[in-house]
Amino acid sequence: MLTNNLGYPRIGSLRQLKKACENYWAGKISQQQLLREGHLIKKANWELQKELGIDKIPSNDFSFYDQVLDMSLMVNAIPERFHEVLLKEGKSELDLYFAMARGYQNDGLDIVALEMTKWFDTNYHYLVPEFRKDQPFKLFSTKVIDEFQEAKYEGIHTKPVLIGPVSYLLLGKEKERGFNRIDLISNLLPVYLEILKKLEEAGADWIQLDEPSLVMDLKNDEIEAFQVVYSQIRKAFPYLKILVSSYFGSIKHQLDWLSSLPICALHVDLTRGEEQLSDVLAHIPADITLSLGVVDGRNIWINDYSKSLNLLEEAIQQRGEERVWISPSCSLIHVPCDLELETNEESLKSEIKAWMAFAKQKLEELAALKKLVTSRENELFSRNQKLIQARKSSDLVHNSNVKEEAWSLSRGSDTRKNPFSVRKILQQAHLDLPAFPTTTIGSFPQTKEVRAWRLQFKKGLLGKVEYENLLKQEIKETIQWQEEVGLDVLVHGEYERNDMVEYFGEKLDGFAFTQNGWVQSYGSRCVKPPVIYGDVSRPEAMTVEWTSFAQACTDKLVKGMLTGPVTILQWSFVRDDQPRSSTALQIAIAIRKEVIDLEKAGIKIIQIDEPAIREGLPLRKEEWKGYLDWAIRAFRISSSGVKNQTQIHTHMCYSDFNDIISEIAEMDADVITIECSRSQMELLDAFAAFQYPNDIGPGVYDIHSPRVPSEEEMVDLLEKAISYLPQENVWVNPDCGLKTRQWSETTEALKRMVNAAQQMREKLLVN
């Protein structure tokens, strides 16, 4: 019986990759130094897995930015606008790669980055491939071959990992009408065959092709593409062993045709589809090895060995040990690197820490399960079961008062007093906003000074009063700057916040925190998700003091800024001992209390961000209704305790809303702000077709790129917006918060944005 890992975190246990990439972009280190840092991370990962006894160690799971972008470069799916980057003197393949990810504004070029969206139902963002009709492909980057050779040089024989060809196409987007991207499979497949040939010649015996789209609802032509692709691969490489890996759900609905796929091994996610095992065993031929994902690659709780062993033993009885591999459910990029780095008892109690496992510990769990298959009479097993039972009965986890409050929530708590048509009239009289009102999404750049103050405060080197006075001065200056620029609705900048979820988690009971629990969100952007270990409640107000201070600094409107219940849930590591809907309801009640307190403090506009609503949608349509019912209700509970005159905003980003637009409307936010600039306002199709009744702020510039769009570009986007939407419903704002940007970019971009809004007002008057 073998242990099989699908992928390991690539950021480094102390975020070495983030720091190296950002230093390279800033011109502080050379490309050679960046490549060296990447090599050291890969080498450490390979050696760790070998040391822990992992039999199938992946390569090409490392990336300098994103694995889908890697694949686009590999098969030369490089949009024409980026070709000029390579023509500039001294520019390399890596510079082209980063230009595709981040955009490029230098050397007389101004190039918009690829679109970015969520990787299935995770908080990881990938770069969306762009496809055109009859698009040719060819081998451009040899990264996967190079990294296999790199590991081989270090004395480690790896299993190269590639995104499977069908899923790669399905992850992309048609950039012109009149064709279906899946039809490009005949153009793409020869490049994959060339890659596999080079890997076989280099000595690879097993290849992992990730096909996560298998868990989704596939159309007939997509199923046919799978059948053609894997038949052609087997025909071309009769001795190369292909592992097809699915994850994030069950593949039970695909088994009728999957059973005839000519592959050597199939990976299934049993943490999100335990019930599929008996069907998989019944349908998948006995000569196909099964990689069983019994260790959760998406969450940080320890594995219940008893439960996993029952699943493994069921498979072994039918297949034999030689046809069963023990695996995580998916790549471990979704969890932090190493729990051993957590040494702060104040933020993470030892009792809670004992219930957790990060990437390294999950590999140890694979090794432990391999030992325990032969006998459960082992200290490893008994210790594990004691911890499982201790968590179930712990007073840290359960709070009867919180459960009772959620249970007794009154009817009507999820409904505003009047419909939007009534509220809009009252709010316009109350707020007196111009046409095309301008605002930002909430955060402003967190400078080195602000981060240094926070660190000094945490270390006790800066007193509370001194720290808060420094932040208040920063807020004052930010308010003054927004007034000077001419923004209509201001924000306080969120300088007191480390992260939009972590900040609230620190103020709520039922949350724990890590020092080094970083996971990659996109590129060099890493987040440190809170851990929801128990029942959630709000002991005191969380934002009222800071927002009230900001409002006292100006006669203009200042928005209260909150993170919504579903996003707090989605972007945390969530307890798995009760339904997610129950935890979301507890968080919603806590946010509702904060909203009511902000209104009492005189705040007239309150934003409750929910960028993760779409992200949490189940991957199969038949499961959507159950999720949307509780997710939308949670938002409405959080937002519906205020008067008609109080304007509720929400923010959502990097989502396709077409298929859930009616549910978005049911959220009943007065204003929704969304990401639109990378898609050139295409996302507004759904809102226009649905005749969305409430106000919308389609983002007019991409804050995830350092490029600053021109005023004309923003006007053009706004003109596109009003071709979709009634102009009286349109707000003007960036795509997202400005926390990660530099002040130099932010200042110029917002000035241009305000000018663009003014131009639209003047055109409105002329017309």
Side-chain angles (χ1 to χ4, degrees), residues 228-259:
V228 168
V229 161
Y230 287 94
S231 294
Q232 290 294 316
I233 289 175
R234 170 54 68 89
K235 184 178 178 182
F237 302 100
Y239 303 111
L240 192 60
K241 297 171 186 173
I242 299 297
L243 161 67
V244 169
S245 59
S246 65
Y247 39 81
F248 302 155
S250 171
I251 56 169
K252 188 176 176 179
H253 56 297
Q254 313 287 14
L255 289 174
D256 285 345
W257 63 269
L258 259 180
S259 59

mmCIF file of all heavy atoms in Angstrom, residues 228-259:
data_model
loop_
_atom_site.group_PDB
_atom_site.id
_atom_site.type_symbol
_atom_site.label_atom_id
_atom_site.label_comp_id
_atom_site.label_asym_id
_atom_site.label_seq_id
_atom_site.Cartn_x
_atom_site.Cartn_y
_atom_site.Cartn_z
ATOM 1 N N VAL A 228 -12.081 10.807 -25.577
ATOM 2 C CA VAL A 228 -11.116 10.917 -26.679
ATOM 3 C C VAL A 228 -9.707 11.148 -26.142
ATOM 4 O O VAL A 228 -8.746 10.489 -26.563
ATOM 5 C CB VAL A 228 -11.528 12.062 -27.631
ATOM 6 C CG1 VAL A 228 -10.394 12.380 -28.614
ATOM 7 C CG2 VAL A 228 -12.804 11.708 -28.379
ATOM 8 N N VAL A 229 -9.569 12.083 -25.193
ATOM 9 C CA VAL A 229 -8.259 12.446 -24.658
ATOM 10 C C VAL A 229 -7.556 11.244 -24.043
ATOM 11 O O VAL A 229 -6.389 10.943 -24.370
ATOM 12 C CB VAL A 229 -8.398 13.576 -23.614
ATOM 13 C CG1 VAL A 229 -7.155 13.657 -22.728
ATOM 14 C CG2 VAL A 229 -8.630 14.909 -24.295
ATOM 15 N N TYR A 230 -8.238 10.547 -23.168
ATOM 16 C CA TYR A 230 -7.541 9.483 -22.436
ATOM 17 C C TYR A 230 -7.360 8.217 -23.271
ATOM 18 O O TYR A 230 -6.411 7.450 -23.045
ATOM 19 C CB TYR A 230 -8.233 9.244 -21.097
ATOM 20 C CG TYR A 230 -7.926 10.417 -20.178
ATOM 21 C CD1 TYR A 230 -8.787 11.503 -20.067
ATOM 22 C CD2 TYR A 230 -6.700 10.490 -19.516
ATOM 23 C CE1 TYR A 230 -8.469 12.612 -19.294
ATOM 24 C CE2 TYR A 230 -6.366 11.588 -18.745
ATOM 25 C CZ TYR A 230 -7.252 12.651 -18.642
ATOM 26 O OH TYR A 230 -6.908 13.750 -17.891
ATOM 27 N N SER A 231 -8.210 8.027 -24.286
ATOM 28 C CA SER A 231 -7.966 6.936 -25.238
ATOM 29 C C SER A 231 -6.723 7.226 -26.055
ATOM 30 O O SER A 231 -5.890 6.339 -26.296
ATOM 31 C CB SER A 231 -9.179 6.761 -26.155
ATOM 32 O OG SER A 231 -10.295 6.329 -25.424
ATOM 33 N N GLN A 232 -6.583 8.490 -26.497
ATOM 34 C CA GLN A 232 -5.416 8.875 -27.287
ATOM 35 C C GLN A 232 -4.125 8.808 -26.470
ATOM 36 O O GLN A 232 -3.077 8.393 -26.972
ATOM 37 C CB GLN A 232 -5.610 10.292 -27.842
ATOM 38 C CG GLN A 232 -6.668 10.408 -28.925
ATOM 39 C CD GLN A 232 -6.280 9.660 -30.189
ATOM 40 O OE1 GLN A 232 -5.148 9.726 -30.642
ATOM 41 N NE2 GLN A 232 -7.228 8.915 -30.740
ATOM 42 N N ILE A 233 -4.209 9.197 -25.205
ATOM 43 C CA ILE A 233 -3.026 9.126 -24.345
ATOM 44 C C ILE A 233 -2.592 7.672 -24.154
ATOM 45 O O ILE A 233 -1.405 7.341 -24.263
ATOM 46 C CB ILE A 233 -3.302 9.811 -22.988
ATOM 47 C CG1 ILE A 233 -3.392 11.328 -23.173
ATOM 48 C CG2 ILE A 233 -2.206 9.467 -21.965
ATOM 49 C CD1 ILE A 233 -3.791 12.089 -21.921
ATOM 50 N N ARG A 234 -3.562 6.794 -23.879
ATOM 51 C CA ARG A 234 -3.205 5.382 -23.690
ATOM 52 C C ARG A 234 -2.632 4.781 -24.974
ATOM 53 O O ARG A 234 -1.656 4.016 -24.934
ATOM 54 C CB ARG A 234 -4.445 4.606 -23.235
ATOM 55 C CG ARG A 234 -4.272 3.072 -23.237
ATOM 56 C CD ARG A 234 -3.046 2.595 -22.435
ATOM 57 N NE ARG A 234 -3.190 2.821 -21.033
ATOM 58 C CZ ARG A 234 -3.737 1.960 -20.165
ATOM 59 N NH1 ARG A 234 -4.217 0.810 -20.606
ATOM 60 N NH2 ARG A 234 -3.786 2.246 -18.891
ATOM 61 N N LYS A 235 -3.216 5.158 -26.109
ATOM 62 C CA LYS A 235 -2.733 4.638 -27.387
ATOM 63 C C LYS A 235 -1.298 5.087 -27.650
ATOM 64 O O LYS A 235 -0.459 4.310 -28.121
ATOM 65 C CB LYS A 235 -3.654 5.124 -28.502
ATOM 66 C CG LYS A 235 -3.307 4.580 -29.882
ATOM 67 C CD LYS A 235 -4.309 5.079 -30.919
ATOM 68 C CE LYS A 235 -3.955 4.579 -32.318
ATOM 69 N NZ LYS A 235 -4.904 5.100 -33.339
ATOM 70 N N ALA A 236 -1.010 6.359 -27.313
ATOM 71 C CA ALA A 236 0.335 6.901 -27.569
ATOM 72 C C ALA A 236 1.356 6.423 -26.552
ATOM 73 O O ALA A 236 2.545 6.308 -26.864
ATOM 74 C CB ALA A 236 0.275 8.429 -27.575
ATOM 75 N N PHE A 237 0.901 6.133 -25.319
ATOM 76 C CA PHE A 237 1.830 5.775 -24.236
ATOM 77 C C PHE A 237 1.307 4.552 -23.477
ATOM 78 O O PHE A 237 0.781 4.659 -22.363
ATOM 79 C CB PHE A 237 1.995 6.954 -23.269
ATOM 80 C CG PHE A 237 2.484 8.209 -23.932
ATOM 81 C CD1 PHE A 237 1.600 9.220 -24.272
ATOM 82 C CD2 PHE A 237 3.828 8.363 -24.248
ATOM 83 C CE1 PHE A 237 2.033 10.368 -24.899
ATOM 84 C CE2 PHE A 237 4.271 9.513 -24.871
ATOM 85 C CZ PHE A 237 3.380 10.522 -25.209
ATOM 86 N N PRO A 238 1.447 3.387 -24.055
ATOM 87 C CA PRO A 238 0.897 2.187 -23.409
ATOM 88 C C PRO A 238 1.569 1.832 -22.088
ATOM 89 O O PRO A 238 0.977 1.106 -21.268
ATOM 90 C CB PRO A 238 1.126 1.088 -24.459
ATOM 91 C CG PRO A 238 2.208 1.618 -25.353
ATOM 92 C CD PRO A 238 2.041 3.093 -25.366
ATOM 93 N N TYR A 239 2.787 2.340 -21.851
ATOM 94 C CA TYR A 239 3.505 1.969 -20.627
ATOM 95 C C TYR A 239 3.578 3.097 -19.606
ATOM 96 O O TYR A 239 4.040 2.884 -18.485
ATOM 97 C CB TYR A 239 4.918 1.494 -20.985
ATOM 98 C CG TYR A 239 4.904 0.338 -21.951
ATOM 99 C CD1 TYR A 239 5.355 0.509 -23.263
ATOM 100 C CD2 TYR A 239 4.408 -0.908 -21.568
ATOM 101 C CE1 TYR A 239 5.316 -0.531 -24.168
ATOM 102 C CE2 TYR A 239 4.368 -1.971 -22.472
ATOM 103 C CZ TYR A 239 4.820 -1.775 -23.768
ATOM 104 O OH TYR A 239 4.767 -2.810 -24.658
ATOM 105 N N LEU A 240 3.160 4.287 -19.977
ATOM 106 C CA LEU A 240 3.158 5.411 -19.040
ATOM 107 C C LEU A 240 1.914 5.313 -18.168
ATOM 108 O O LEU A 240 0.805 5.111 -18.672
ATOM 109 C CB LEU A 240 3.163 6.728 -19.811
ATOM 110 C CG LEU A 240 3.435 8.015 -19.027
ATOM 111 C CD1 LEU A 240 4.795 7.984 -18.355
ATOM 112 C CD2 LEU A 240 3.333 9.219 -19.956
ATOM 113 N N LYS A 241 2.089 5.452 -16.867
ATOM 114 C CA LYS A 241 0.969 5.262 -15.941
ATOM 115 C C LYS A 241 0.319 6.614 -15.640
ATOM 116 O O LYS A 241 0.981 7.528 -15.159
ATOM 117 C CB LYS A 241 1.465 4.611 -14.652
ATOM 118 C CG LYS A 241 2.038 3.220 -14.878
ATOM 119 C CD LYS A 241 2.715 2.698 -13.634
ATOM 120 C CE LYS A 241 3.408 1.371 -13.920
ATOM 121 N NZ LYS A 241 4.207 0.917 -12.763
ATOM 122 N N ILE A 242 -0.966 6.698 -15.927
ATOM 123 C CA ILE A 242 -1.706 7.944 -15.762
ATOM 124 C C ILE A 242 -2.641 7.843 -14.566
ATOM 125 O O ILE A 242 -3.483 6.938 -14.479
ATOM 126 C CB ILE A 242 -2.523 8.271 -17.025
ATOM 127 C CG1 ILE A 242 -1.600 8.437 -18.244
ATOM 128 C CG2 ILE A 242 -3.372 9.533 -16.798
ATOM 129 C CD1 ILE A 242 -0.626 9.594 -18.143
ATOM 130 N N LEU A 243 -2.463 8.787 -13.625
ATOM 131 C CA LEU A 243 -3.390 8.965 -12.504
ATOM 132 C C LEU A 243 -4.278 10.156 -12.824
ATOM 133 O O LEU A 243 -3.785 11.273 -13.005
ATOM 134 C CB LEU A 243 -2.613 9.229 -11.206
ATOM 135 C CG LEU A 243 -3.401 9.868 -10.053
ATOM 136 C CD1 LEU A 243 -4.465 8.920 -9.516
ATOM 137 C CD2 LEU A 243 -2.463 10.295 -8.922
ATOM 138 N N VAL A 244 -5.570 9.948 -12.906
ATOM 139 C CA VAL A 244 -6.527 11.047 -13.060
ATOM 140 C C VAL A 244 -7.069 11.378 -11.682
ATOM 141 O O VAL A 244 -7.606 10.506 -10.991
ATOM 142 C CB VAL A 244 -7.669 10.675 -14.026
ATOM 143 C CG1 VAL A 244 -8.788 11.727 -13.973
ATOM 144 C CG2 VAL A 244 -7.140 10.547 -15.446
ATOM 145 N N SER A 245 -6.920 12.629 -11.279
ATOM 146 C CA SER A 245 -7.360 13.006 -9.933
ATOM 147 C C SER A 245 -8.553 13.949 -10.004
ATOM 148 O O SER A 245 -8.544 14.940 -10.731
ATOM 149 C CB SER A 245 -6.219 13.655 -9.142
ATOM 150 O OG SER A 245 -5.745 14.797 -9.793
ATOM 151 N N SER A 246 -9.576 13.606 -9.245
ATOM 152 C CA SER A 246 -10.739 14.470 -9.057
ATOM 153 C C SER A 246 -10.732 14.904 -7.597
ATOM 154 O O SER A 246 -10.170 14.218 -6.743
ATOM 155 C CB SER A 246 -12.027 13.717 -9.378
ATOM 156 O OG SER A 246 -12.219 12.646 -8.449
ATOM 157 N N TYR A 247 -11.353 16.025 -7.310
ATOM 158 C CA TYR A 247 -11.443 16.470 -5.914
ATOM 159 C C TYR A 247 -12.493 17.555 -5.773
ATOM 160 O O TYR A 247 -13.008 18.067 -6.762
ATOM 161 C CB TYR A 247 -10.091 16.954 -5.373
ATOM 162 C CG TYR A 247 -9.223 17.737 -6.322
ATOM 163 C CD1 TYR A 247 -9.432 19.083 -6.558
ATOM 164 C CD2 TYR A 247 -8.163 17.117 -6.992
ATOM 165 C CE1 TYR A 247 -8.614 19.808 -7.416
ATOM 166 C CE2 TYR A 247 -7.341 17.836 -7.864
ATOM 167 C CZ TYR A 247 -7.573 19.177 -8.071
ATOM 168 O OH TYR A 247 -6.775 19.895 -8.929
ATOM 169 N N PHE A 248 -12.825 17.874 -4.533
ATOM 170 C CA PHE A 248 -13.830 18.872 -4.141
ATOM 171 C C PHE A 248 -15.259 18.344 -4.240
ATOM 172 O O PHE A 248 -16.205 19.117 -4.146
ATOM 173 C CB PHE A 248 -13.721 20.176 -4.939
ATOM 174 C CG PHE A 248 -12.389 20.864 -4.850
ATOM 175 C CD1 PHE A 248 -11.974 21.715 -5.866
ATOM 176 C CD2 PHE A 248 -11.557 20.685 -3.758
ATOM 177 C CE1 PHE A 248 -10.755 22.371 -5.792
ATOM 178 C CE2 PHE A 248 -10.329 21.339 -3.679
ATOM 179 C CZ PHE A 248 -9.927 22.180 -4.699
ATOM 180 N N GLY A 249 -15.433 17.057 -4.438
ATOM 181 C CA GLY A 249 -16.791 16.524 -4.485
ATOM 182 C C GLY A 249 -16.806 15.087 -4.959
ATOM 183 O O GLY A 249 -15.773 14.450 -5.175
ATOM 184 N N SER A 250 -18.007 14.576 -5.131
ATOM 185 C CA SER A 250 -18.210 13.192 -5.556
ATOM 186 C C SER A 250 -18.200 13.088 -7.078
ATOM 187 O O SER A 250 -18.610 14.016 -7.781
ATOM 188 C CB SER A 250 -19.550 12.690 -5.008
ATOM 189 O OG SER A 250 -19.886 11.438 -5.565
ATOM 190 N N ILE A 251 -17.756 11.936 -7.582
ATOM 191 C CA ILE A 251 -17.828 11.657 -9.025
ATOM 192 C C ILE A 251 -18.832 10.538 -9.300
ATOM 193 O O ILE A 251 -18.835 9.945 -10.380
ATOM 194 C CB ILE A 251 -16.444 11.276 -9.592
ATOM 195 C CG1 ILE A 251 -15.853 10.090 -8.826
ATOM 196 C CG2 ILE A 251 -15.508 12.467 -9.570
ATOM 197 C CD1 ILE A 251 -14.628 9.492 -9.486
ATOM 198 N N LYS A 252 -19.685 10.290 -8.334
ATOM 199 C CA LYS A 252 -20.669 9.210 -8.446
ATOM 200 C C LYS A 252 -21.497 9.318 -9.721
ATOM 201 O O LYS A 252 -21.813 8.316 -10.370
ATOM 202 C CB LYS A 252 -21.566 9.259 -7.203
ATOM 203 C CG LYS A 252 -22.525 8.110 -7.040
ATOM 204 C CD LYS A 252 -23.268 8.255 -5.721
ATOM 205 C CE LYS A 252 -24.323 7.172 -5.555
ATOM 206 N NZ LYS A 252 -25.029 7.308 -4.252
ATOM 207 N N HIS A 253 -21.847 10.549 -10.107
ATOM 208 C CA HIS A 253 -22.697 10.769 -11.271
ATOM 209 C C HIS A 253 -21.964 10.564 -12.597
ATOM 210 O O HIS A 253 -22.596 10.599 -13.666
ATOM 211 C CB HIS A 253 -23.293 12.185 -11.225
ATOM 212 C CG HIS A 253 -22.262 13.271 -11.118
ATOM 213 N ND1 HIS A 253 -21.417 13.384 -10.033
ATOM 214 C CD2 HIS A 253 -21.926 14.285 -11.971
ATOM 215 C CE1 HIS A 253 -20.619 14.426 -10.216
ATOM 216 N NE2 HIS A 253 -20.907 14.986 -11.375
ATOM 217 N N GLN A 254 -20.641 10.338 -12.568
ATOM 218 C CA GLN A 254 -19.864 10.146 -13.797
ATOM 219 C C GLN A 254 -19.428 8.694 -13.992
ATOM 220 O O GLN A 254 -18.780 8.379 -14.991
ATOM 221 C CB GLN A 254 -18.585 11.015 -13.762
ATOM 222 C CG GLN A 254 -18.770 12.460 -13.349
ATOM 223 C CD GLN A 254 -19.440 13.321 -14.400
ATOM 224 O OE1 GLN A 254 -20.016 12.825 -15.354
ATOM 225 N NE2 GLN A 254 -19.392 14.634 -14.217
ATOM 226 N N LEU A 255 -19.758 7.831 -13.063
ATOM 227 C CA LEU A 255 -19.139 6.503 -13.035
ATOM 228 C C LEU A 255 -19.490 5.631 -14.236
ATOM 229 O O LEU A 255 -18.680 4.786 -14.644
ATOM 230 C CB LEU A 255 -19.493 5.777 -11.739
ATOM 231 C CG LEU A 255 -18.811 6.346 -10.486
ATOM 232 C CD1 LEU A 255 -19.339 5.660 -9.232
ATOM 233 C CD2 LEU A 255 -17.300 6.191 -10.571
ATOM 234 N N ASP A 256 -20.666 5.812 -14.828
ATOM 235 C CA ASP A 256 -21.051 4.959 -15.952
ATOM 236 C C ASP A 256 -20.048 5.046 -17.091
ATOM 237 O O ASP A 256 -19.679 4.028 -17.688
ATOM 238 C CB ASP A 256 -22.449 5.341 -16.455
ATOM 239 C CG ASP A 256 -23.541 4.852 -15.518
ATOM 240 O OD1 ASP A 256 -23.241 3.993 -14.670
ATOM 241 O OD2 ASP A 256 -24.684 5.337 -15.631
ATOM 242 N N TRP A 257 -19.596 6.247 -17.413
ATOM 243 C CA TRP A 257 -18.633 6.374 -18.501
ATOM 244 C C TRP A 257 -17.187 6.384 -18.001
ATOM 245 O O TRP A 257 -16.279 5.963 -18.725
ATOM 246 C CB TRP A 257 -18.912 7.628 -19.339
ATOM 247 C CG TRP A 257 -18.766 8.935 -18.604
ATOM 248 C CD1 TRP A 257 -19.726 9.615 -17.945
ATOM 249 C CD2 TRP A 257 -17.558 9.700 -18.471
ATOM 250 N NE1 TRP A 257 -19.209 10.769 -17.398
ATOM 251 C CE2 TRP A 257 -17.882 10.853 -17.707
ATOM 252 C CE3 TRP A 257 -16.252 9.549 -18.914
ATOM 253 C CZ2 TRP A 257 -16.940 11.830 -17.385
ATOM 254 C CZ3 TRP A 257 -15.311 10.514 -18.603
ATOM 255 C CH2 TRP A 257 -15.661 11.641 -17.844
ATOM 256 N N LEU A 258 -16.964 6.816 -16.771
ATOM 257 C CA LEU A 258 -15.598 6.809 -16.214
ATOM 258 C C LEU A 258 -15.040 5.389 -16.120
ATOM 259 O O LEU A 258 -13.831 5.181 -16.202
ATOM 260 C CB LEU A 258 -15.603 7.436 -14.823
ATOM 261 C CG LEU A 258 -15.134 8.887 -14.667
ATOM 262 C CD1 LEU A 258 -15.210 9.314 -13.222
ATOM 263 C CD2 LEU A 258 -13.730 9.077 -15.212
ATOM 264 N N SER A 259 -15.921 4.444 -15.931
ATOM 265 C CA SER A 259 -15.472 3.054 -15.750
ATOM 266 C C SER A 259 -14.744 2.521 -16.983
ATOM 267 O O SER A 259 -13.972 1.571 -16.877
ATOM 268 C CB SER A 259 -16.674 2.162 -15.428
ATOM 269 O OG SER A 259 -17.620 2.222 -16.485
#
